[in-house]
Amino acid sequence: MTAMNVHAVRSIYRFEMSRWFRTVGQSVLSPVISTSLYFIVFGAAIGSLMEDIDGVAYGSFLVPGLVMLMLLTQSVSNASFGIYFPKFTGTIYEILSAPISYLEIVLGYVGGAATKSVLLGFIIMATATLFVPVEIQHPFWMLTFLILTALTFSLLGFIIGIWADGFEKLSLVPTLIITPLTFLGGSFYSIQMLPEPWQTLTLFNPVVYLISGFRWSFYGISDVGVGISFGMTLFFLGLCLAVVARIFATGYRLKS
Amino acid sequence: MPPILSITNLAKTYAPRPPRQAAFEALKNVSLDIQRGEIFALLGPNGAGKTTLISIVCGIVTASSGKVTVDGFDNVAQYREARSRIGLVPQELHTDAFESVWKTVSFSRGLWGLPPSPAHIEKVLKDLSLWDKKDNRVMTLSGGMKRRLMIAKALAHEPNILFLDEPTAGVDVELRKDMWNLVRTLRAGGVTVILTTHYIQEAEEMADRVGVMSKGSLILVEEKAVLMQKLGGKQLALHLTSKLDAIPASLSGYKLTLAAGGTDLVYSYDTKGERTGITALLQDVAAAGIRFKDVETKESSLEEIFVSLVREPRP
Ligand SMILES: Nc1ncnc2c1ncn2[C@@H]1O[C@H](COP(=O)(O)OP(=O)(O)OP(=O)(O)O)[C@@H](O)[C@H]1O
Ligand SMILES: [Mg+2]
């Protein structure tokens, strides 16, 4: 009986999805509203004063960055909450005593969180088309970046959820790290617009590569080479997988 | 037949959590074999290590040393095989708040890798009188209902071994009887049941064997009947019509004491013996001219045995 416990993965996945659909109003509405606000403020009000960037109107330029912004924050918050909550209520006992491997636990929780983020990404893109023209030159790569990023940051959220031992810590990493990195990672501007030394420093921000590659799949313009973006995306995915594997190898914060 | 659960030299020291919490040795070298189909009751005062022992077997806590096999499968190396046989009803009420009863019970079945079976879930919910609540959100259930829901979740995946960690805590008398009946039904269906309890009456009522834990050690494992017989002699009390000042010399051959200020004559005897000596005693009592208005026999209960076992020696 070493085969995968498919029923278990499906159960956890469904459970996570049904938690989302139960509160689908809040889950979808708040990102949609904040994206719309960004478009109204940055796209329409300020954007009209901005020059085109590499031949792309500022409003359109914003779309991939905003989708990434939402994707990262929602992946982290969804996945961290998904695993933190059973720890908090104690229902984790059932997961720990079930005949399931750690890989299956991760597939269920992270798969669920990543699915929600990807769906949300589509919803935000659809919202964006109401405000600005959007073009997707490389749909395959757009999907690839979308899914890989959603997976990576859902894994990161999962790690945070396991590490957190209080609700404060749960929101600490997103507010302290994810949001600044995203804002400073070129969501709203091309990093070529930055003066030195900021332009070089920015290259240490992992989010730059995600946004740049994602934007390339839309308009064919990028801050860094798309190959590098793709490589970095895979690198971060691998890094998160390694951390998760390490956590489970030691039972860290799950078992005493 | 080999035991269905075999625990060998199991020990657990909880890691220290500086600065406030020192390391704690919660389990010391515990060995125990559970036979297929038996009902085993684990007794012991708060903090004895009962929940720790169960948690290690179920995979929630990692052992510091020792070995557990479930139906021959090592519970760490072959955790899938081992855990798929086990159902756990933990001591604390841990439930999802927002899901429906039906969904949360079906979820458990899925976690154990079994295909959906609405018929089985329906049977389990009906057995636990939760059928009319199946569409309710879990948070709308009463405490006793939640306790039953936890049992339903464990039974949803058809375990061979069921752990019930204080199943009747916070459960009313009638429900407790239902619970006992349920356990008997499960046993009749071949399920091995291991339960912990603080109610001695419960162990006395249901268990085939009893284990007593104290301060991390299993200090005694015994057939319930043997235990009660071994430690529990019987007493016959004669309530006298008139007070006696001393036991007459003609009765000095019997183990008699005077109680209740001389109105009770108490005879201690051993039920294991061929003859208890009661007939002879009663004849000699009559011959001595002692009259009694009532008789009463008393057996020491598990409770008394238990208390005498775990009581701290007085300094
Ligand atoms: N996670 C933990 N970390 C540190 N110490 C623990 C932990 N869990 C339990 N202990 C300690 O281990 C000892 C045994 O606890 P356990 O829960 O096994 O007792 P128990 O016999 O089930 O008691 P009760 O009858 O109160 O349920 C207790 O002293 C407890 O404080
Ligand atoms: Mg306990």
Side-chain angles (χ1 to χ4, degrees), chain B residues 9-155:
Chain B
N9 301 332
L10 203 64
K12 173 68 186 179
T13 302
Y14 285 106
R17 277 200 213 135
R20 260 168 295 161
Q21 217 173 302
F24 187 84
E25 195 182 5
L27 222 52
K28 300 167 190 163
N29 202 33
V30 171
S31 296
L32 174 67
D33 280 349
I34 301 289
Q35 303 305 321
R36 233 163 268 269
E38 76 172 323
I39 299 181
F40 189 91
L42 208 48
L43 297 172
N46 288 138
K50 306 178 295 292
T51 301
T52 301
L53 181 64
I54 291 177
S55 300
I56 292 175
V57 173
C58 294
I60 297 169
V61 168
T62 39
S64 302
S65 63
K67 187 176 161 67
V68 176
T69 58
V70 180
D71 209 0
F73 296 103
D74 186 282
N75 84 326
V76 178
Q78 297 161 299
Y79 67 92
R80 271 197 213 268
E81 288 84 351
R83 291 186 200 165
S84 64
R85 286 162 173 75
I86 296 178
L88 166 66
V89 183
Q91 181 173 4
E92 309 280 339
L93 290 172
H94 300 304
T95 50
D96 303 306
F98 305 105
E99 286 295 345
S100 72
V101 166
W102 177 271
K103 269 196 182 169
T104 198
V105 174
S106 305
F107 174 74
S108 304
R109 186 176 171 86
L111 271 190
W112 261 255
L114 301 179
S117 169
H120 180 71
I121 305 287
E122 178 173 340
K123 181 181 179 311
V124 167
L125 288 180
K126 282 184 171 159
D127 285 348
L128 286 156
S129 327
L130 285 170
W131 181 243
D132 56 328
K133 298 279 179 189
K134 70 181 163 61
D135 297 317
N136 278 42
R137 279 179 167 206
V138 172
M139 60 197 241
T140 65
L141 301 184
S142 75
M145 290 173 190
K146 280 186 190 144
R147 172 86 45 199
R148 278 180 280 155
L149 174 65
M150 308 266 302
I151 299 177
K153 280 166 79 72
L155 294 181

Side-chain angles (χ1 to χ4, degrees), chain A residues 1-5 7-8 11-12 15 18-19 22 85 89-91 93-102 104 109 254-256, chain B residues 12 14 58-62 79-81 83-84 88 90 94-96 98-99 103 107-108 110-116 137 150 153:
Chain A
M1 209 179 84
T2 34
M4 170 98 67
N5 184 346
H7 287 295
S11 294
I12 297 176
F15 183 87
S18 95
R19 190 166 62 80
R22 206 168 42 222
F85 204 62
T89 59
T91 52
Y93 86 87
E94 204 178 18
I95 306 281
L96 293 178
S97 61
I100 52 181
S101 68
Y102 290 131
E104 288 153 4
Y109 280 105
L254 279 175
K255 294 190 182 190
S256 41
Chain B
K12 173 68 186 179
Y14 285 106
C58 294
I60 297 169
V61 168
T62 39
Y79 67 92
R80 271 197 213 268
E81 288 84 351
R83 291 186 200 165
S84 64
L88 166 66
H94 300 304
T95 50
D96 303 306
F98 305 105
E99 286 295 345
K103 269 196 182 169
F107 174 74
S108 304
L111 271 190
W112 261 255
L114 301 179
R137 279 179 167 206
M150 308 266 302
K153 280 166 79 72

Side-chain angles (χ1 to χ4, degrees), chain B residues 61-295:
Chain B
V61 168
T62 39
S64 302
S65 63
K67 187 176 161 67
V68 176
T69 58
V70 180
D71 209 0
F73 296 103
D74 186 282
N75 84 326
V76 178
Q78 297 161 299
Y79 67 92
R80 271 197 213 268
E81 288 84 351
R83 291 186 200 165
S84 64
R85 286 162 173 75
I86 296 178
L88 166 66
V89 183
Q91 181 173 4
E92 309 280 339
L93 290 172
H94 300 304
T95 50
D96 303 306
F98 305 105
E99 286 295 345
S100 72
V101 166
W102 177 271
K103 269 196 182 169
T104 198
V105 174
S106 305
F107 174 74
S108 304
R109 186 176 171 86
L111 271 190
W112 261 255
L114 301 179
S117 169
H120 180 71
I121 305 287
E122 178 173 340
K123 181 181 179 311
V124 167
L125 288 180
K126 282 184 171 159
D127 285 348
L128 286 156
S129 327
L130 285 170
W131 181 243
D132 56 328
K133 298 279 179 189
K134 70 181 163 61
D135 297 317
N136 278 42
R137 279 179 167 206
V138 172
M139 60 197 241
T140 65
L141 301 184
S142 75
M145 290 173 190
K146 280 186 190 144
R147 172 86 45 199
R148 278 180 280 155
L149 174 65
M150 308 266 302
I151 299 177
K153 280 166 79 72
L155 294 181
H157 52 80
E158 305 171 40
N160 304 116
I161 309 175
L162 183 66
F163 285 94
L164 298 166
D165 201 350
E166 297 196 24
T168 51
V171 161
D172 69 31
V173 182
E174 197 175 332
L175 212 65
R176 197 172 296 171
K177 296 253 161 68
D178 289 351
M179 205 87 90
W180 295 349
N181 286 330
L182 176 80
V183 169
R184 290 194 190 98
T185 316
L186 286 171
R187 193 250 293 270
V191 179
T192 306
V193 181
I194 297 155
L195 57 94
T196 74
T197 177
H198 288 284
Y199 301 108
I200 318 289
Q201 193 199 353
E202 203 156 85
E204 226 172 317
E205 183 85 20
M206 321 211 323
D208 301 312
R209 282 199 303 157
V210 175
V212 179
M213 289 192 74
S214 174
K215 300 203 187 90
S217 300
L218 192 59
I219 54 176
L220 175 123
V221 177
E222 196 69 85
E223 298 278 332
K224 182 188 61 184
V226 174
L227 177 67
M228 294 188 53
Q229 214 177 47
K230 203 195 256 177
L231 292 156
K234 258 189 146 177
Q235 291 186 324
L236 173 74
L238 303 177
H239 300 305
L240 308 178
T241 41
S242 56
K243 207 176 124 187
L244 266 191
D245 291 325
I247 297 167
S250 62
L251 298 175
S252 61
Y254 299 97
K255 265 196 266 171
L256 288 174
T257 45
L258 274 176
T263 55
D264 278 9
L265 193 58
V266 182
Y267 172 57
S268 306
Y269 62 100
D270 195 339
T271 45
K272 273 183 297 181
E274 277 281 288
R275 29 199 353 206
T276 55
I278 291 176
T279 322
L281 171 75
L282 292 184
Q283 280 167 3
D284 288 349
V285 166
I290 300 170
R291 321 195 109 250
F292 49 92
K293 53 185 182 211
D294 202 0
V295 286

Side-chain angles (χ1 to χ4, degrees), chain A residues 36-219:
Chain A
S36 305
L37 289 174
Y38 279 120
F39 278 118
I40 293 166
V41 175
F42 290 104
I46 300 175
S48 57
L49 306 172
M50 300 276 289
E51 293 170 27
D52 289 2
I53 300 175
D54 292 334
V56 178
Y58 185 66
S60 304
F61 177 88
L62 271 182
V63 176
L66 277 179
V67 173
M68 272 290 167
L69 179 70
M70 289 300 152
L71 197 66
L72 301 195
T73 49
Q74 291 297 316
S75 297
V76 169
S77 78
N78 259 320
S80 60
F81 196 78
I83 187 70
Y84 178 75
F85 204 62
K87 273 192 353 174
F88 176 72
T89 59
T91 52
I92 190 92
Y93 86 87
E94 204 178 18
I95 306 281
L96 293 178
S97 61
I100 52 181
S101 68
Y102 290 131
L103 175 67
E104 288 153 4
I105 297 179
V106 171
L107 279 178
Y109 280 105
V110 172
T115 307
K116 295 175 220 176
S117 305
V118 169
L119 291 179
L120 203 64
F122 288 138
I123 292 172
I124 290 166
M125 282 185 248
T127 313
T129 58
L130 301 177
F131 296 90
V132 291
V134 178
E135 170 195 18
I136 299 171
Q137 289 183 4
H138 309 282
F140 169 78
W141 285 106
M142 188 278 283
L143 259 181
T144 306
F145 277 113
L146 193 71
I147 292 171
L148 288 181
T149 310
L151 275 177
T152 305
F153 281 77
S154 297
L155 276 168
L156 180 63
F158 187 81
I159 294 167
I160 294 168
I162 285 180
W163 163 79
D165 50 12
F167 279 101
E168 310 80 40
K169 281 196 181 165
L170 210 55
S171 59
L172 201 68
V173 175
T175 19
L176 239 53
I177 299 174
I178 310 292
T179 313
L181 285 185
T182 321
F183 271 80
L184 302 175
S187 301
F188 303 108
Y189 52 85
S190 160
I191 61 169
Q192 266 122 43
M193 292 158 75
L194 290 174
E196 285 294 358
W198 301 113
Q199 202 176 117
T200 309
L201 271 182
T202 296
L203 293 177
F204 290 97
N205 178 354
V207 178
V208 165
Y209 301 92
L210 306 177
I211 293 180
S212 169
F214 194 52
R215 188 173 287 135
W216 170 84
S217 70
F218 279 71
Y219 308 118

